[in-house]
Protein backbone atom coordinates (compact mmCIF):
# COMPACT_ATOMS: atom_id res chain seq x y z
CA UNK A 1 0.00 0.00 0.00
CA UNK A 2 2.97 2.36 0.41
CA UNK A 3 4.80 1.85 -2.88
CA UNK A 4 1.91 1.01 -5.20
CA UNK A 5 1.65 -1.89 -7.63
CA UNK A 6 4.73 -3.69 -8.91
CA UNK A 7 5.52 -6.88 -10.74
CA UNK A 8 7.35 -9.68 -8.95
CA UNK A 9 8.65 -12.93 -10.29
CA UNK A 10 6.62 -15.87 -9.11
CA UNK A 11 6.82 -19.59 -8.80
CA UNK A 12 7.34 -20.97 -12.34
CA UNK A 13 4.47 -23.45 -12.16
CA UNK A 14 0.71 -23.39 -12.05
CA UNK A 15 -1.29 -25.67 -9.77
CA UNK A 16 -4.45 -27.05 -11.34
CA UNK A 17 -6.30 -27.23 -8.00
CA UNK A 18 -5.06 -23.88 -6.71
CA UNK A 19 -6.06 -20.29 -7.31
CA UNK A 20 -5.16 -18.70 -10.61
CA UNK A 21 -3.27 -15.92 -8.83
CA UNK A 22 -1.69 -15.73 -5.41
CA UNK A 23 -0.91 -12.59 -3.39
CA UNK A 24 -3.82 -10.44 -4.41
CA UNK A 25 -3.11 -7.82 -1.74
CA UNK A 26 0.07 -6.15 -0.56
CA UNK A 27 1.72 -7.28 2.64
CA UNK A 28 0.62 -5.37 5.74
CA UNK A 29 2.72 -2.45 6.88
CA UNK A 30 4.47 -2.52 10.24
CA UNK A 31 1.88 -2.05 12.97
CA UNK A 32 -1.02 -1.85 10.52
CA UNK A 33 -3.18 -4.27 12.54
CA UNK A 34 -1.96 -3.43 16.05
CA UNK A 35 -5.30 -2.08 17.24
CA UNK A 36 -7.36 -5.02 15.95
CA UNK A 37 -4.97 -7.63 17.36
CA UNK A 38 -4.41 -5.95 20.71
CA UNK A 39 -8.07 -5.10 21.36
CA UNK A 40 -10.09 -7.86 19.70
CA UNK A 41 -7.77 -10.83 20.23
CA UNK A 42 -5.83 -9.85 23.35
CA UNK A 43 -8.46 -7.71 25.09
CA UNK A 44 -6.26 -4.68 25.84
CA UNK A 45 -7.91 -1.31 26.36
CA UNK A 46 -6.89 2.01 24.81
CA UNK A 47 -4.80 3.09 27.81
CA UNK A 48 -2.78 -0.16 27.73
CA UNK A 49 -2.14 0.21 24.00
CA UNK A 50 -1.03 3.83 24.44
CA UNK A 51 1.37 2.74 27.19
CA UNK A 52 2.86 0.05 24.93
CA UNK A 53 3.42 2.70 22.25
CA UNK A 54 5.03 5.12 24.75
CA UNK A 55 7.29 2.31 25.99
CA UNK A 56 8.36 1.55 22.40
CA UNK A 57 6.92 -1.97 22.52
CA UNK A 58 4.63 -1.36 19.52
CA UNK A 59 4.85 1.15 16.72
CA UNK A 60 4.79 1.76 13.01
CA UNK A 61 8.50 2.43 12.40
CA UNK A 62 11.42 0.04 12.61
CA UNK A 63 13.48 0.48 15.77
CA UNK A 64 11.34 3.24 17.22
CA UNK A 65 14.46 5.30 17.91
CA UNK A 66 15.69 2.94 20.61
CA UNK A 67 19.28 1.70 20.77
CA UNK A 68 18.85 -2.06 20.90
Amino acid sequence: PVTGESLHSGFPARFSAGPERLHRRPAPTLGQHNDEILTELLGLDEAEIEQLARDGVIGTQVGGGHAW
Side-chain angles (χ1 to χ4, degrees):
V2 176
T3 62
E5 290 188 20
S6 59
L7 295 175
H8 297 277
S9 59
F11 190 69
R14 187 174 289 208
F15 298 101
S16 60
E20 196 170 305
R21 292 182 68 199
L22 302 174
H23 309 296
R24 294 181 179 266
R25 290 182 225 130
T29 58
L30 182 63
Q32 180 178 340
H33 299 103
N34 281 355
D35 287 338
E36 293 90 341
I37 300 299
L38 296 172
T39 57
E40 296 172 21
L41 294 178
L42 299 178
L44 275 65
D45 62 32
E46 187 174 329
E48 292 171 307
I49 295 171
E50 288 173 3
Q51 185 63 50
L52 289 172
R54 279 193 300 275
D55 292 343
V57 175
I58 61 172
T60 57
Q61 295 181 337
V62 176
H66 297 285
W68 299 80

